[in-house]
Amino acid sequence: MKVSGSTNWKGPVKFRMPTAENLVPIRLDIQFEGQRYKDAFTWNPSDADNEIAIFARRTVKDLKLPPAFFTQISQSIQSQLADFRAYEGQDMYTGEKIIPIKLDLRVNHTLIKDQFLWDLNNFESDPEEFARTLCKDLGVEDPEVGPAVAFAIREQLYEIAVQSVSSARESRLSKKSRRGSDYGSASKASGLSMDLVKLFSFKSSVVRKRKDLDVYEPMVDLLTNEEVDALEAREERHAR
Amino acid sequence: MEASTNDRSSSFKDAELELYTIPAHSSWFVWEDIHEIERREFAEFFSESSITRTPKVYKEYRDFIINKYREDDSSRRLTFTSIRKHLVGDVNLLRKVFLFLENWGLINFLNKSDDGSMEESEAEIELGTPAGIRVTATPVSMRPVTVPPLVEERAEPAFKFSPLTSYSDVFTDLNKPLLCGHCGESSCDSAFYQHTKSLVTLCDKCGDCGENNSAHDFKLIAAAAWTEEETLLLLESVLKHGDDWELITQSVSTKSRLDCISKLIELPFGEFLMGSSSGRLRSSIPTSEDENLSSPSNPLEQMKADGLEQKETETREEKGDDHVVDEDEPPAKRKRVAMLSDGGDSSLMKQVAAMACKVGPSVTTAAAKAAIAALCDEASCPKDTFETTCDFTDFAVDRADGDKGTSDMEEQQEDKEGPQDLPVALRMRASVATALGAAAAHAKILADQEEREMEQLAAIIIDQQLKKMKSKLKFLDHLELIMDAEEQVMEGVKETILQERISVLQFAFGSGITKRWDHT
């Protein structure tokens, strides 16, 4: 039987996305000659590099963008991948780290707000599977919502993984020994460290208190066209 | 919790079996304890390696989920999302527990979801690109491209460019009968005009009857019928412009975009005109378009008509007819294979060969048989043709394979023979028949070969499977031997321990100590 990859204390692990599949979230936002291309997707860093060129070419062709976009797209993807790979050589902390992940996103006409706990140490976690279940259970019909949710989760995980790398570096420099309470220090970033011990102790229950229920409940809203336009206009203004 | 279930069970004693049905293979489940199966599955809870995963936590999760399912009136399916908000902990782990319980039928046993339908749902064709990717028109600003900060904003839909054709695009809003606002007729064939400001539609005859309406205000709605000129225009513009519907609509000025697309699909070969790149069929269409329009049942043949003689087209028409008749398929929408009629290569045999390659061998044999039958029936004495002019037919057969086509053959035939007892067409047909017969024979041989190969491969596969099974059995035997050896060893150890105990007791008795050591 496979023991899942979460123990109380593990030696630092090489940096990777803490999910079942090591996929990197890539976000593109390119403006050129009056056209703006915004996109977000996941990329497998173990793909060959010429795949980037193939993807960029196909995108430019499908969306009928001016050919200048091709280089821009490839460069952007490559630089984000390079950032990811830069972290890859380093160690990352894997202690017991349960963090709240918040979703607050709008995809076409669907608005999703949600919050839930995610164990950063669980290397079998799967954002795509989670997103799929979420959409299926809530009856979301727009097929673009699932990938958007998975992408948002991945982005947050990526951020926190990056943070844990830097915190690992700091703690390695600061303290020479004392490996005992690693999980305590590693999850300092999340406000949940003390709560963890409290929640999962012998006396308290794992069932959430009623007052917290609303926070952790997913909310899905379907917007009308006017609301969508209004929100878009507001976002545009913020972006400027 | 236990008390409450007992209460419930006592009050619903008879109905309990129905309310809390679980499958027989899950009967190991008990409330009070955690079974071995669960321990194995969720080893991480029991390995005492983390504070968030303890047996107590697992039991709480499990009990809560099952109770929630049962209390909410088990006829309703419990979804993971509704349960995860109640429990603290990593959602992936919760999901694992949830799936485990669902797979074992401990929850949601009576209301299985229809996952099958979800996966089998057809891919919906969407109009336009997915909304998440938008190309917006913004004022030109040569800002350097930087990786934007990781913010949770979604892409914004903005400028939409020419959308792709979709099913709903074409097939909704078709065939709405247009009612003339004035004379109330919808059946007159004349063109309809639509007022730009109001929604009044008028037919052509009543066009002048509107008060205060000038001719400018009316826009021509295309009539539902397509004249031949329009179809011609459509085809030409499709070939010229390929995928760009706006330009096509402009050239076929009387029809809207949807009409163009739907008409193109309805035309028998229209689909792969749309699909193929515009250059491919350019050469073969223009010359025979009119024939296409008049006899849509023979488009396949007509398309090869590039530069061939009239008689050959006749021949192929017949063959085409037979082809059509003998295929026994519903005539509504037959699959048309794209013909690769390159430039000058228009010999009949080569095209027949190309056709035969694309279609399955059984179809080709049927077609060939039918064609030969038709040809033979027509020609009253093909044998005569062969006998009297046998060298001639050989010559003719050779020629038929050549690139020059039959025009040369015709000339030469006319040169050689002054008075003709049998028309040239017959000779040609006879030679065509022999050629087709040869093709049919080849096809049959190929088909037999393929079958034999398939059988061989199947036999190989079965062999491999058997080998796999055998090796597995061997492995298991091996394991058994090892286990036997282990058993022996264990027996030995047991013996030694027993011996030790006996010796200790003996020693104890020997030194006068009683056996029982009851220290208080």
Side-chain angles (χ1 to χ4, degrees):
Chain A
M1 301 301 136
K2 200 153 67 98
V3 178
S4 99
S6 73
T7 52
N8 193 9
W9 175 78
K10 253 162 49 163
V13 147
K14 288 297 163 206
F15 177 83
R16 51 157 284 170
M17 286 290 290
T19 54
E21 292 165 351
N22 191 20
L23 299 174
V24 182
I26 304 258
R27 201 178 264 279
L28 294 176
D29 186 357
I30 304 178
Q31 295 209 29
F32 190 75
E33 278 180 11
Q35 283 193 320
R36 185 169 180 220
Y37 165 61
K38 272 192 82 150
D39 196 5
F41 49 87
T42 49
W43 190 267
N44 187 346
S46 55
D47 271 350
D49 276 338
N50 63 341
E51 297 277 341
I52 302 181
I54 296 174
F55 171 81
R57 204 173 307 131
R58 192 109 263 263
T59 311
V60 166
K61 179 168 166 228
D62 285 344
L63 298 177
K64 298 195 175 75
L65 299 169
F69 271 80
F70 170 72
T71 34
Q72 307 251 22
I73 293 177
S74 330
Q75 273 173 16
S76 179
I77 298 180
Q78 260 165 4
S79 67
Q80 294 185 57
L81 272 182
D83 288 340
F84 176 77
R85 292 209 176 105
Y87 284 113
E88 243 180 350
Q90 308 177 12
D91 299 334
M92 126 170 129
Y93 245 124
T94 53
E96 194 69 51
K97 196 140 163 219
I98 300 202
I99 44 159
I101 294 213
K102 298 194 181 63
L103 291 179
D104 183 3
L105 44 94
R106 179 186 69 80
V107 181
N108 302 341
H109 290 268
T110 317
L111 194 67
I112 293 202
K113 274 178 83 77
D114 195 4
Q115 183 174 353
F116 45 88
L117 298 173
W118 195 279
D119 181 5
L120 219 56
N121 212 9
N122 184 0
F123 278 51
E124 289 174 354
S125 59
D126 196 347
E128 277 77 27
E129 196 58 47
F130 177 81
R132 220 174 298 148
T133 315
L134 185 71
C135 292
K136 188 169 82 149
D137 289 344
L138 296 175
V140 174
E141 282 166 359
D142 190 351
E144 291 180 41
V145 175
V149 165
F151 183 82
I153 298 176
R154 255 184 212 279
E155 266 194 320
Q156 296 186 50
L157 292 178
Y158 184 45
E159 279 250 19
I160 300 190
V162 164
Q163 281 177 19
S164 76
V165 167
S166 38
S167 77
R169 224 183 303 149
E170 286 174 14
S171 54
R172 224 175 337 135
L173 295 174
S174 63
K175 63 177 190 315
K176 315 294 178 205
S177 54
R178 199 166 71 84
R179 297 283 196 162
S181 56
D182 274 351
Y183 64 87
S185 62
S187 54
K188 224 186 311 181
S190 77
L192 218 41
S193 58
M194 288 304 108
D195 297 353
L196 265 187
V197 183
K198 229 187 341 172
L199 273 174
F200 289 93
S201 76
F202 206 64
K203 296 221 189 81
S204 68
S205 150
V206 194
V207 182
R208 193 166 274 137
K209 307 268 184 308
R210 199 167 283 266
K211 59 181 164 80
D212 290 336
L213 268 187
D214 296 326
V215 180
Y216 284 89
E217 182 165 5
M219 274 195 302
V220 177
D221 263 331
L222 279 176
L223 306 171
T224 60
N225 281 334
E226 296 87 22
E227 292 171 336
V228 170
D229 292 335
L231 278 175
E232 280 174 26
R234 216 181 314 148
E235 281 165 13
E236 280 279 323
R237 259 180 279 130
H238 283 316
R240 302 284 169 77
Chain B
M1 198 169 19
E2 289 177 7
S4 66
T5 46
N6 280 338
D7 282 341
R8 246 185 270 161
S9 63
S10 58
S11 55
F12 295 101
K13 221 177 218 136
D14 302 321
E16 182 181 338
L17 289 173
E18 284 181 275
L19 277 179
Y20 303 146
T21 319
I22 60 174
H25 54 81
S26 307
S27 50
W28 47 264
F29 176 74
V30 282
W31 278 113
E32 297 82 14
D33 197 11
I34 303 177
H35 194 264
E36 194 53 44
I37 298 180
E38 300 170 282
R39 276 179 203 273
R40 249 185 291 141
E41 178 80 20
F42 295 105
E44 66 257 28
F45 279 101
F46 302 98
S47 61
E48 284 173 37
S49 52
S50 93
I51 50 168
T52 57
R53 295 158 202 236
T54 61
K56 167 186 171 286
V57 165
Y58 168 72
K59 191 162 183 303
E60 276 204 62
Y61 285 160
R62 176 194 80 181
D63 295 342
F64 185 85
I65 295 178
I66 298 185
N67 277 330
K68 194 81 182 161
Y69 169 67
R70 293 185 178 177
E71 100 188 10
D72 278 348
D73 173 27
S74 339
S75 56
R76 221 167 24 145
R77 189 167 177 270
L78 187 69
T79 59
F80 171 65
T81 309
S82 55
I83 201 77
R84 69 140 152 109
K85 64 183 185 230
H86 288 283
L87 293 170
V88 173
D90 178 27
V91 287
N92 294 291
L93 200 59
L94 280 171
R95 188 152 185 281
K96 210 168 150 197
V97 175
F98 182 82
L99 286 176
F100 172 77
L101 293 174
E102 195 172 20
N103 286 334
W104 276 102
L106 292 163
I107 57 176
N108 287 340
F109 182 56
L110 297 173
N111 21 30
K112 302 219 191 317
S113 73
D114 42 350
D115 266 331
S117 67
M118 290 272 290
E119 270 138 49
E120 287 162 14
S121 67
E122 299 148 21
E124 293 164 23
I125 308 170
E126 279 204 357
L127 182 63
T129 55
I133 306 176
R134 290 295 177 149
V135 178
T136 67
T138 56
V140 176
S141 64
M142 294 303 286
R143 264 185 279 158
V145 173
T146 52
V147 175
L150 297 173
V151 166
E152 281 179 70
E153 273 178 48
R154 291 307 311 154
E156 307 146 23
F159 166 69
K160 276 189 209 200
F161 45 88
S162 64
L164 308 168
T165 325
S166 80
Y167 183 90
S168 58
D169 223 1
V170 175
F171 289 106
T172 55
D173 296 341
L174 275 187
N175 301 328
K176 261 202 267 190
L178 290 171
L179 268 182
C180 170
H182 184 84
C183 57
E185 283 176 19
S186 63
S187 52
C188 65
D189 285 331
S190 61
F192 276 80
Y193 290 87
Q194 172 151 27
H195 199 268
T196 43
K197 297 208 185 77
S198 65
L199 288 173
V200 176
T201 48
L202 288 182
C203 71
D204 204 10
K205 300 184 194 135
C206 312
D208 300 327
C209 310
E211 304 135 13
N212 303 327
N213 293 332
S214 62
H216 299 294
D217 287 340
F218 280 88
K219 220 173 34 168
L220 181 65
I221 305 179
W226 279 72
T227 64
E228 292 204 353
E229 296 95 39
E230 287 175 338
T231 325
L232 202 67
L233 265 178
L234 171 67
L235 290 168
E236 282 177 356
S237 47
V238 164
L239 286 170
K240 224 186 333 163
H241 301 146
D243 245 347
D244 209 343
W245 293 107
E246 302 302 326
L247 292 174
I248 293 177
T249 322
Q250 280 171 20
S251 25
V252 184
S253 47
T254 51
K255 292 281 180 289
S256 75
R257 192 165 66 90
L258 298 183
D259 284 336
C260 292
I261 299 171
S262 59
K263 180 66 186 172
L264 198 61
I265 295 180
E266 280 168 27
L267 287 176
F269 49 85
E271 276 185 330
F272 58 119
L273 265 192
M274 292 208 300
S276 69
S277 47
S278 50
R280 259 216 300 185
L281 299 165
R282 204 191 291 252
S283 51
S284 41
I285 289 295
T287 54
S288 49
E289 258 175 334
D290 292 328
E291 293 163 347
N292 282 341
L293 301 175
S294 54
S295 58
S297 65
N298 303 326
L300 206 56
E301 316 310 313
Q302 299 281 352
M303 278 172 38
K304 301 184 296 175
D306 191 17
L308 289 177
E309 298 293 329
Q310 186 63 22
K311 287 185 180 143
E312 281 209 338
T313 50
E314 276 175 22
T315 323
R316 266 172 301 121
E317 264 184 26
E318 289 178 10
K319 204 160 56 103
D321 280 333
D322 296 324
H323 191 103
V324 162
V325 162
D326 275 43
E327 276 194 15
D328 278 343
E329 286 172 32
K333 213 53 167 156
R334 249 171 266 122
K335 271 202 224 156
R336 302 289 183 186
V337 179
M339 292 300 300
L340 291 167
S341 53
D342 325 322
D345 187 356
S346 54
S347 85
L348 175 59
M349 272 322 294
K350 288 207 176 157
Q351 287 175 359
V352 168
M355 197 168 69
C357 294
K358 302 229 164 118
V359 179
S362 52
V363 174
T364 323
T365 37
K369 268 190 238 161
I372 293 169
L375 291 171
C376 286
D377 288 340
E378 253 207 334
S380 47
C381 38
K383 274 198 184 166
D384 292 342
T385 319
F386 280 134
E387 278 165 14
T388 52
T389 58
C390 35
D391 51 334
F392 217 92
T393 36
D394 289 341
F395 178 75
V397 168
D398 288 341
R399 271 300 175 188
D401 282 330
D403 277 347
K404 295 212 183 143
T406 54
S407 51
D408 290 334
M409 193 162 93
E410 242 189 339
E411 288 171 16
Q412 303 216 354
Q413 283 179 350
E414 286 182 9
D415 284 343
K416 293 220 168 173
E417 287 195 12
Q420 307 223 337
D421 36 337
L422 284 168
V424 180
L426 262 184
R427 257 188 274 262
M428 281 174 42
R429 286 173 186 180
S431 54
V432 164
T434 44
L436 284 172
H442 270 295
K444 183 160 188 338
I445 292 175
L446 275 176
D448 287 337
Q449 270 183 4
E450 293 269 326
E451 264 198 55
R452 258 179 277 131
E453 260 193 58
M454 279 187 345
E455 284 170 22
Q456 264 182 7
L457 287 173
I460 290 177
I461 290 177
I462 294 177
D463 269 332
Q464 294 291 351
Q465 295 282 51
L466 283 174
K467 278 193 210 152
K468 233 178 32 174
M469 304 292 301
K470 280 197 198 133
S471 65
K472 279 197 188 160
L473 283 173
K474 258 195 276 178
F475 178 66
L476 286 172
D477 283 334
H478 194 61
L479 268 182
E480 219 184 300
L481 284 174
I482 294 180
M483 293 314 292
D484 283 338
E486 290 264 322
E487 210 190 321
Q488 302 264 357
V489 170
M490 296 309 295
E491 294 278 326
V493 170
K494 217 165 113 181
E495 292 268 354
T496 46
I497 293 186
L498 207 54
Q499 297 281 8
E500 275 188 40
R501 186 158 182 250
I502 291 176
S503 64
V504 163
L505 285 176
Q506 277 179 346
F507 182 72
F509 284 141
S511 39
I513 306 175
T514 53
K515 182 174 172 237
R516 292 176 31 149
W517 280 305
D518 274 290
H519 297 290
T520 48

